């Protein structure tokens, strides 16, 4: 009876984790992949400034979605820690802390978006000054996400390691997640090393597959009953 109660608690925690993870995915897709390009035009701060003024409501939706990413990323990290802390404390702390670093990186982007909106709609009369400031904030947004990819990759390592070690989910899920983490690290280094590699974006594909698989598994199945047994056998 106690074992069944504990398993139900773990499944509930896993599904809440999956909900936060799903929220992060939705806000990320809408914010970064849908709305971002409508406002921030790469290499064209003049057009970006025009968009920030003429499409201010769209820009603010973009900002609110960035808030959503920050909040859901932080809560996903916290709930992953809660899910795994009893049996894999060190790994859970690593997963939670590195997940929080992701949230901080995206928060820098959110601060820059808010600042860009404020500058664009301010009383500053010199257009050249506005364009220069918008360009600075645009670069900060881009690099917050770009350099933040280091930790987008790193937090996948303890996640995948726990899955493989505990067998709480399919082992290949854990392996693909770790491959995705490696892909993020390599992709980021290649990009900032200035290396022209046309297939660089494909390096993060395993991470995308693994993270959506993780979301689906958490929401549908939660966590395997063998999770506790795997840890008990490990301690014998």
């Amino acid at each position: 009876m106690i074992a069944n109660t504990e398993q139900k608690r773990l499944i509930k925690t896993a599904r809440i984790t999956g909900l936060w993870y799903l929220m992060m995915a939705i806000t990320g897709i809408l914010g970064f992949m849908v709305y971002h390009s409508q406002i921030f035009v790469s290499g064209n701060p003049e057009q970006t400034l025009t968009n920030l003024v003429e499409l201010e409501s769209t820009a603010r939706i973009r900002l609110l979605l960035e808030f959503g990413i920050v909040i859901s990323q932080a809560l996903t990290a916290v709930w992953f820690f809660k899910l795994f802390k009893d049996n894999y404390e060190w790994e859970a702390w690593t997963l939670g802390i590195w997940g929080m670093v992701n949230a901080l990186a995206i928060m820098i982007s959110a601060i820059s978006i808010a600042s860009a909106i404020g500058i664009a709609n301010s009383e500053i009369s010199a257009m050249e000054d506005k364009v220069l400031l918008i360009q600075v904030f645009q670069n900060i947004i881009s690099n917050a996400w770009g350099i933040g990819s280091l930790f987008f990759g790193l937090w996948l390592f303890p996640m995948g390691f726990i899955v493989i070690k505990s067998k709480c989910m399919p082992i290949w899920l854990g392996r693909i997640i770790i491959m995705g983490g490696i892909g993020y690290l390599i992709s980021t280094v290649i990009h900032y090393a200035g290396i022209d590699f046309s297939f660089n974006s494909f390096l993060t594909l395993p991470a995308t597959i693994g993270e959506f698989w993780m979301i689906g598994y958490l929401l549908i199945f939660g966590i395997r009953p063998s999770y506790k047994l795997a840890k008990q056998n490990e301690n014998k």
Side-chain angles (χ1 to χ4, degrees), residues 14 39 49 59 72 85 87 96 98 101 104 106 113 130 142 160 179 188 201 207 230:
I39 303 297
L49 175 58
S72 55
K85 67 180 176 65
N87 298 300
W98 287 354
V101 174
L104 288 172
I106 300 165
I113 293 173
K130 279 190 175 184
S142 175
M179 287 168 57
T188 305
S201 59

Side-chain angles (χ1 to χ4, degrees), residues 53 116-125 130 133:
V53 174
I117 294 171
I119 291 295
N121 295 281
S122 70
E123 298 300 322
I124 298 174
S125 57
K130 279 190 175 184
L133 289 169

Side-chain angles (χ1 to χ4, degrees), residues 24-189:
M24 183 174 72
I26 291 171
T27 53
I29 290 170
L30 288 175
F32 196 74
M33 298 179 68
V34 176
Y35 279 90
H36 193 79
S37 60
Q38 296 180 31
I39 303 297
F40 295 92
V41 182
S42 179
N44 193 338
E46 293 86 358
Q47 183 60 52
T48 299
L49 175 58
T50 300
N51 293 341
L52 286 167
V53 174
E54 295 182 356
L55 302 173
E56 184 182 352
S57 59
T58 302
R60 292 193 181 278
I61 291 172
R62 168 71 185 100
L63 175 59
L64 292 176
L65 286 168
E66 202 82 333
F67 289 176
I69 300 170
V70 172
I71 294 167
S72 55
Q73 169 66 80
L75 289 170
T76 301
V78 168
W79 281 89
F80 263 126
F81 172 75
K82 182 178 180 181
L83 180 63
F84 295 131
K85 67 180 176 65
D86 291 339
N87 298 300
Y88 294 91
E89 185 177 7
W90 184 86
E91 295 90 340
W93 272 109
T94 306
L95 176 57
I97 291 169
W98 287 354
M100 281 296 185
V101 174
N102 290 343
L104 288 172
I106 300 165
M107 191 163 68
I108 293 171
S109 172
I111 292 168
S112 300
I113 293 173
S115 300
I117 294 171
I119 291 295
N121 295 281
S122 70
E123 298 300 322
I124 298 174
S125 57
M127 188 62 65
E128 296 81 2
D129 291 344
K130 279 190 175 184
V131 171
L132 179 60
L133 289 169
I134 294 302
Q135 186 173 22
V136 170
F137 288 127
Q138 220 171 331
N139 286 332
I140 293 173
I141 294 164
S142 175
N143 287 302
W145 278 88
I147 297 174
S149 293
L150 291 172
F151 275 90
F152 298 166
L154 280 174
W155 93 305
L156 297 178
F157 285 99
M159 187 189 302
F161 178 80
I162 292 171
V163 169
I164 293 169
K165 194 174 181 181
S166 69
K167 299 181 178 62
C168 63
M169 298 171 191
I171 289 178
W172 266 105
L173 170 56
R175 290 172 179 168
I176 290 174
I177 284 174
I178 290 176
M179 287 168 57
I182 294 169
Y184 257 120
L185 295 181
I186 294 173
S187 173
T188 305
V189 170

Side-chain angles (χ1 to χ4, degrees), residues 6 11 21 62 97 144 157 171 179 183 202 207-208 224 229:
E6 177 66 10
I11 290 174
Y21 214 158
R62 168 71 185 100
I97 291 169
F157 285 99
I171 289 178
M179 287 168 57
F202 289 100
T208 303
R224 284 176 173 172
L229 294 175

